[in-house]
Amino acid sequence: MEVSSSHMNIQFDDTNLRAAMVGEANGLTPEEIRQHSPRALEALKGFQEISEAGAQGFPHLPFQAQVAKDILRFAKEVRGSFDTLCLVGIGGSALGAWALDCGLRGPHPVQPAFSVRNPRLVVLDNVDPAFTAAALDSMNPKKTFTVVIAKSGSTAETVATFLIVRDWMSEKLGRKTRSRIAAVTTAGAGDLHALAEAEGYAEFAIPKNVGGRFSVLSPVGMLPAALIGLDIRGIWKGAAAVTHDSWQPDLKKNLALRAALLHYLVWKLKHKSIQVAFPYSNQLWGSAFWFRQLWAESLGKAKSRQGDEIHVGQTPVAALGATDQHSQVQLYVEGPNDKVFTFWAVERFADSGKIPKAGLNLEAFDYLGGQTLAKLIDAERRSTAAALTEAGRPNCTFTLRKLDPEHLGAFLQLMEFQTAFLGELLGINAFDQEGVELGKKFTYGLMGRKGFESYRDRFQAYEQRRKSAD
Ligand code: PA5
């Protein structure tokens, strides 16, 4: 069945998730879908209550008119004075901005030359010292604007990199440095906020009820987006349209709910513990990486809401079509049947990629002449779906009419709603990340942060166990 969002041109085709296409062992019967549909409506109601109570804020983000005004006013003030936007942040504080940049301007190697009119985005997320040094070498401190993003205000990677960048800027800019930095963090709390206040950086707030991986439509994604010149009103407009659709108690109109239910059923009833997010668009590659975090951190949980130990999670994998047909598809078609494939298609590309007729009298060349790359990539995706289906591998497809700010904003919000609904179907809290927190605390202990001595001791006990295990 193919269903469309009523406000946006996004479709979801779930035909190849059906038993009629991939067999009963791997696909869903109409009876299974019917039987579980009431649970989807309960999940919708459950999440609606959470959202209305203000416990989760991402559905409200596209409607914050004042935030949009503040961001746009600030962007207008500072744009034109930098050719590089340096984003210091990690995880949910970095992936959203990258997804937007890649989605709307393309992957970096093919973006137009950067300039003060078209600043590039350099994301310093990892603490790889060679990468950080090379990135700084490529930037001019006088032409760089830095946005440091951390909801907690204290993530070690972000703080360490920011200290390096701040120092690098101060060496050339001295007291002017403060006017070339903006901080995005939890309003009125944490050490990054304290530093921003002390040094006088512009500050933008992350609402308390919005977690990192759900924050792309807050200043976390939208401030960098506005600073590199993306149409943030368009992004919010698409996201707002999907938000309206996502509250519809109707599985034919509510794509996010339908996709959540079907992914849940194929995972739980047909044992597909891996989801391959498979965009057939280089521009959606950043979004696939953003989605990996959203799905993994939200749905990988040790405990149910009731506190029972359950250890659930579906492993997200990102693959790029058509490229990964020549790398991963052998495994996907013939290897273990433990995956569901979710294609992300674009109907109208910005360019059709006309293939010239060369008249070479060579069979492998001549049939392609006069056709387009758009037709070829579409044929590649549909052929891969057919091959997977013939091999009994369930798959489904989201199709975006085109890649513009509205469609991208809509799609990201759709993925967030889908994730929230799936969390409700699983009976877990999709919004915490205890598993991430422990690693962070061990790092603080190891790096000597005050108050984390017990984690240093716990880490040392682990090292001791490693020694005696040898
Ligand atoms: O989704 C999350 O909450 C995490 O992945 C965070 O985004 C990540 O750990 C970075 O945290 P912070 O923004 O506090 O630096």
Side-chain angles (χ1 to χ4, degrees):
M1 183 175 186
E2 190 165 299
V3 289
S4 312
S5 148
S6 34
H7 291 94
M8 288 300 302
N9 262 312
I10 299 181
Q11 275 144 28
F12 180 57
D13 181 346
D14 56 53
T15 310
N16 293 348
L17 293 177
R18 304 308 183 95
M21 296 304 293
V22 288
E24 264 196 48
N26 301 302
L28 303 167
T29 63
E31 182 46 30
E32 284 168 334
I33 298 175
R34 225 181 348 261
Q35 196 192 332
H36 289 87
S37 294
R39 293 198 51 206
L41 298 176
E42 276 167 34
L44 169 69
K45 207 164 149 240
F47 181 58
Q48 207 157 15
E49 280 163 15
I50 292 174
S51 167
E52 277 166 12
Q56 276 314 315
F58 82 81
H60 308 292
L61 294 174
F63 305 97
Q64 300 194 325
Q66 190 55 47
V67 177
K69 274 190 197 147
D70 292 346
I71 290 177
L72 287 168
R73 190 184 321 115
F74 181 73
K76 204 168 159 198
E77 269 167 40
V78 297
R79 263 180 67 84
S81 64
F82 56 93
D83 65 12
T84 298
L85 182 72
C86 173
L87 189 164
V88 183
I90 196 165
S93 290
L95 288 162
W98 180 46
L100 293 171
D101 182 31
C102 183
L104 298 174
R105 300 199 302 183
H108 284 208
V110 298
Q111 287 189 1
F114 63 96
S115 66
V116 289
R117 280 161 171 259
N118 181 44
R120 65 178 171 154
L121 175 69
V122 172
V123 178
L124 298 185
D125 52 355
N126 202 4
V127 281
D128 172 338
F131 168 71
T132 307
L136 291 184
D137 275 351
S138 81
M139 301 175 346
N140 173 351
K142 292 189 175 154
K143 285 188 167 182
T144 297
F145 192 91
T146 296
V147 179
V148 52
I149 309 178
K151 173 154 172 152
S152 59
S154 60
T155 301
E157 295 90 334
T158 302
V159 169
T161 304
F162 180 62
L163 287 172
I164 293 171
V165 173
R166 173 176 163 272
D167 206 49
W168 171 83
M169 291 177 82
S170 305
E171 268 175 27
K172 282 278 177 295
L173 302 174
R175 287 154 61 86
K176 280 196 190 140
T177 304
R178 55 168 286 280
S179 64
R180 310 287 290 169
I181 295 175
V184 183
T185 190
T186 302
D191 284 357
L192 178 57
H193 161 69
L195 181 72
E197 267 208 333
E199 303 210 334
Y201 308 151
E203 233 191 306
F204 291 83
I206 310 175
K208 284 205 171 66
N209 60 3
V210 174
R213 58 196 174 275
F214 290 90
S215 67
V216 58
L217 299 171
S218 78
V220 170
M222 301 311 253
L223 178 65
L227 290 173
I228 57 175
L230 304 183
D231 169 16
I232 65 168
R233 285 201 191 280
I235 295 168
W236 264 316
K237 191 171 168 209
V242 155
T243 304
H244 288 302
D245 286 349
S246 300
W247 295 129
Q248 302 298 318
D250 180 341
L251 283 164
K252 291 205 176 99
K253 289 190 185 141
N254 187 334
L255 257 62
L257 190 61
R258 182 176 192 84
L261 175 67
L262 297 186
H263 278 99
Y264 169 75
L265 292 178
V266 86
W267 165 11
K268 287 289 157 184
L269 304 182
K270 312 295 163 176
H271 316 292
K272 307 306 173 200
S273 57
I274 298 170
Q275 182 188 168
V276 179
F278 213 155
Y280 271 63
S281 152
N282 285 50
Q283 279 178 251
L284 286 175
W285 192 227
S287 299
F289 273 80
W290 168 87
F291 172 79
R292 254 176 13 138
Q293 185 210 10
L294 179 69
W295 205 249
E297 277 191 1
S298 304
L299 305 179
K301 295 291 144 88
K303 295 204 170 144
S304 70
R305 275 200 200 275
Q306 278 67 41
D308 301 325
E309 211 158 313
I310 51 171
H311 298 286
V312 286
Q314 186 184 49
T315 304
V317 170
L320 178 65
T323 307
D324 281 331
Q325 285 179 207
H326 304 272
S327 156
Q328 303 295 298
V329 166
Q330 169 63 29
L331 166 76
Y332 295 166
V333 171
E334 291 192 1
N337 195 345
D338 53 0
K339 303 172 194 65
V340 55
F341 301 87
T342 307
F343 293 106
W344 299 356
V346 176
E347 201 176 299
R348 291 186 196 159
F349 286 89
D351 192 302
S352 68
K354 202 154 176 24
I355 306 167
K357 281 190 183 157
L360 300 173
N361 278 333
L362 291 169
E363 197 269 323
F365 286 73
D366 287 346
Y367 75 99
L368 290 168
Q371 306 208 58
T372 63
L373 293 182
K375 186 175 173 199
L376 179 59
I377 200 167
D378 190 58
E380 302 263 8
R381 177 182 52 75
R382 291 190 294 129
S383 303
T384 303
L388 288 167
T389 305
E390 279 197 6
R393 316 286 155 131
N395 59 90
C396 54
T397 306
F398 284 106
T399 304
L400 280 67
R401 168 68 62 88
K402 55 185 173 175
L403 257 175
D404 64 4
E406 284 181 45
H407 282 82
L408 186 60
F411 187 62
L412 298 179
Q413 186 78 331
L414 178 62
M415 293 293 116
E416 293 188 13
F417 267 101
Q418 178 190 213
T419 307
F421 293 146
L422 221 147
E424 289 303 299
L425 283 162
L426 290 166
I428 56 166
N429 178 358
F431 306 101
D432 64 3
Q433 58 280 324
E434 280 308 304
V436 180
E437 299 307 328
L438 183 59
K440 280 188 173 184
K441 286 169 185 161
F442 279 145
T443 305
Y444 292 148
L446 282 179
M447 297 297 284
R449 183 171 172 188
K450 222 165 129 195
F452 290 83
E453 295 77 5
S454 65
Y455 288 94
R456 185 199 53 217
D457 297 347
R458 202 165 140 186
F459 189 88
Q460 275 164 359
Y462 147 84
E463 289 277 34
Q464 212 45 52
R465 277 208 323 279
R466 276 166 53 81
K467 276 191 194 128
S468 37
D470 253 349

